[in-house]
Amino acid sequence: MSSAEKTNGMDTLETLPQHVAIIMDGNGRWAKQKGKPRAFGHKAGVENVRSAIKTCLELGIDCLTVFAFSTENWNRPKKEVGILMDLFLTSLTKEVDELHKNGVRIRFIGDRSAFSKKLQKQINDSEQLTQSNSKLAFNIAANYGGRWDIVNAVRNIYQRIEKGEISVDKFDVELLNSEIALSDLPEPDLFIRTGGEHRISNFLLWQLAYTELYFTDVFWPDFDKANFMEALNSFSTRQRRFGHTGEQIEKKQTTS
Ligand code: IPE
Ligand code: IPE
Ligand code: MG
């Protein structure tokens, strides 16, 4: 039996993350490997998001955040960017009702003003339709960058200071955090990057401060439930210390 099969039952997972953040990477190389155009990989990649959502719903993971398009992805060939934008619009339009039926709350993070009016409307409509759902908080980072997020938060605070709503000496970690994307949710416990690269690529820079990192060579379109379970299994074996000693953590576990 492979390790993936062994962990396929919930019984071996001691701790489950509340929030999983995924860099869905490797669509282009997946397609290339098959002798197909990159667009073919993107289409398969978008379809595979459904499988990740299903796993989260089945296991009771509360929040899933996926990186769909970075602020740097505008640097790609115009044609590829256009294909990605079309895919976002068609798949969101196609999937939203089913997601709503399953109790999924959809939210977008990033600067949406750069998208077409039509896509912006679909984004707003999807968020509005699903805003009261509570089974899974599904967040899509689109035209998102961790640096943009921090700059945006600082700008918002600066405006509040200028208006006299708060004073500069109130500027602390907690205040900045309150303006950062997804600050109403638990911080990501587990970060997964598919596609073999070992980097953050300007994803949730602030939010990942204490997140457990997991990297796999599997290209995103191939990342299935067994692969997801492997990542969850790895997470469940980790000791999260948050600056404490291992002994302090063990003591806390035995007394609680
Ligand atoms: C991730 O796959 C999707 C986006 C960045 C939109 P890539 O398109 O980066 O695939 P690779 O890394 O080139 O294989
Ligand atoms: C990160 O992947 C962005 C998304 C998955 C949306 P990239 O493929 O753009 O990252 P780099 O360029 O390899 O760092
Ligand atoms: Mg890539």
Side-chain angles (χ1 to χ4, degrees), residues 74-118:
W74 295 108
N75 295 325
R76 293 194 176 194
K78 243 195 165 114
K79 192 173 159 216
E80 179 165 341
V81 171
I83 286 168
L84 283 166
M85 293 301 142
D86 289 348
L87 253 179
F88 294 151
L89 181 62
T90 49
S91 51
L92 190 58
T93 312
K94 196 172 114 204
E95 300 292 336
V96 66
D97 287 335
E98 185 68 18
L99 290 170
H100 182 45
K101 249 193 271 164
N102 288 319
V104 176
R105 177 180 180 186
I106 304 171
R107 242 194 296 178
F108 279 76
I109 58 168
D111 182 5
R112 65 186 67 179
S113 69
F115 296 139
S116 70
K117 288 277 166 293
K118 214 170 165 187

Side-chain angles (χ1 to χ4, degrees), residues 23-29 38 73 76 193 195 197 199:
I23 297 190
M24 311 181 292
D25 195 25
N27 294 348
R29 281 164 288 158
R38 292 178 61 85
N73 286 146
R76 293 194 176 194
R193 182 171 187 146
E197 310 297 353
R199 53 178 176 255

Side-chain angles (χ1 to χ4, degrees), residues 7 25 48 66 72 101 113-114 127 133 150 158 196 201 214 232 255:
T7 57
D25 195 25
N48 197 40
V66 297
E72 289 72 32
K101 249 193 271 164
S113 69
E127 286 181 333
N133 294 341
I150 295 166
Y158 185 77
S201 299
Y214 180 88
L232 295 172
T255 53

